[in-house]
Amino acid sequence: MIPNFELFGKTFSVYMITALVGFLVILSYTYRTAQKRGLDEMHMLYMILFSAIGVGVGAHLLYGITNLQHLVWLMGNLWNLPSWKTFWSYLMLIFGGSVFYGGLIGAILVSFAYLKRNHLDSGAYSDIAATAIPLFHTFGRIGCFLSGCCYGIPWAHGFTYRYCAIESANFVARFPVQLVESGLNLGLFFLLHSFLNTNRFKSHLLHLYLLIYPAYRFLLEFLRGDEYRGFLFGLSTSQIISIGLIAISAATWAAEHKKAPRSGCTKPAEKQLS
């Protein structure tokens, strides 16, 4: 497709452009939604901005973990390398890519750390953030499709890459698994948004997201053709993480439901002071 393009003499990545657009969209969405729900919109904004750091660190860290054998080799041959420059070039290759689940986990950890540090209502703020995740991911997967950083299995009626940096992806008609996931993510956003507006599953929309997305991600992995992301027991890294997230989310939600009071009413969320 069009992994990169030239503008004003500089090369830009299509994926980075779509991810940036998605990030700006969710900044606007979370800011406005926090205002409407009586929450501190600036805290909402800061939480999203800090979570972006978690996305970057987590996504690259998990990518490095999928290349663990290369990292082990690098550490074992550390003193045989000709220079530290060579070492850093290998390290950049090992951690140079990104994995969505790593970014998701990193963002969740940073977000809850921010909420706890500022004594904010984690349920109220996480409901908005959980709704925004699939909205951002919708744009991200369009970028993946255009750049060819990941791709589907061969399919006679699919799309053919010609400029993908991964040679094996080129000149083979492939199933547009990224576009399918983008559409499912957009549908999930509208579903969670409707629940948010009607206060259904209040304080549990992150649990709901972590039950629904991993379920269809597990199935979509069978339609992906990029097999370099690591496999264990016949399942991809993302499928194993999907199973883990579903189990953890279901167990956590059940435990919280068990502890919740059976009667009484709750006060509406009040706007926090920054």
Side-chain angles (χ1 to χ4, degrees):
M1 300 303 165
I2 47 172
N4 301 301
F5 64 94
E6 298 287 336
L7 184 64
F8 303 121
K10 294 185 178 181
T11 302
F12 293 89
S13 165
V14 171
Y15 175 80
M16 292 304 298
I17 297 298
T18 57
L20 178 60
V21 171
F23 186 65
L24 293 176
V25 168
I26 68 165
L27 279 179
S28 175
Y29 171 78
T30 54
Y31 183 89
R32 289 174 173 271
T33 306
Q35 280 184 323
K36 292 178 182 178
R37 298 183 67 80
L39 300 175
D40 189 312
E41 63 273 14
M42 292 309 299
H43 270 309
M44 188 78 245
L45 195 63
Y46 290 144
M47 189 190 82
I48 297 299
L49 290 172
F50 278 114
S51 71
I53 300 174
V55 169
V57 174
H60 289 291
L61 184 60
L62 185 55
Y63 184 84
I65 292 174
T66 63
N67 290 307
L68 186 61
Q69 71 276 18
H70 300 297
L71 184 60
V72 171
W73 176 89
L74 180 62
M75 294 297 103
N77 292 272
L78 185 61
W79 305 113
N80 297 325
L81 298 177
S83 65
W84 282 106
K85 184 178 180 180
T86 304
F87 169 76
W88 286 112
S89 64
Y90 276 120
L91 208 60
M92 289 299 294
L93 286 173
I94 293 172
F95 290 94
S98 62
V99 179
F100 170 75
Y101 269 143
L104 174 64
I105 294 170
I108 290 173
L109 292 176
V110 170
S111 296
F112 276 100
Y114 180 87
L115 293 173
K116 185 176 181 180
R117 173 67 177 80
N118 291 280
H119 309 289
L120 300 171
D121 184 342
S122 60
Y125 285 87
S126 67
D127 277 351
I128 299 174
T131 306
I133 294 171
L135 180 59
F136 168 76
H137 206 184
T138 297
F139 290 90
R141 279 302 181 216
I142 292 173
C144 288
F145 171 75
L146 293 175
S147 67
C149 56
C150 58
Y151 46 87
I153 59 175
W155 186 48
H157 308 288
F159 294 85
T160 302
Y161 290 100
R162 290 180 173 81
Y163 307 105
C164 181
I166 304 169
E167 292 297 331
S168 60
N170 291 320
F171 306 107
V172 177
R174 295 185 177 277
F175 183 79
V177 64
Q178 310 96 321
L179 294 184
V180 173
E181 185 174 341
S182 180
L184 290 172
N185 286 333
L186 185 60
L188 181 53
F189 160 71
F190 283 117
L191 176 66
L192 296 178
H193 179 70
S194 68
F195 289 158
L196 184 66
N197 284 340
T198 56
N199 288 320
R200 293 188 65 186
F201 304 107
K202 189 175 181 180
S203 298
H204 293 295
L205 291 187
L206 182 59
H207 288 123
L208 195 60
Y209 169 79
L210 292 175
L211 289 173
I212 297 175
Y213 173 74
Y216 65 73
R217 175 62 185 270
F218 182 92
L219 297 176
L220 288 176
E221 283 291 300
F222 291 112
L223 299 175
R224 290 185 62 159
D226 49 331
E227 299 181 351
Y228 56 83
R229 294 164 297 119
F231 283 81
L232 185 64
F233 304 119
L235 298 176
S236 71
T237 302
S238 294
Q239 286 177 315
I240 294 171
I241 295 175
S242 293
I243 294 172
L245 288 177
I246 291 173
I248 292 171
S249 185
T252 305
W253 195 350
E256 291 178 1
H257 179 73
K258 188 175 181 180
K259 292 180 181 179
R262 298 297 180 181
S263 61
C265 57
T266 57
K267 295 181 180 180
E270 297 181 357
K271 188 165 182 174
Q272 302 286 339
L273 296 178
S274 59

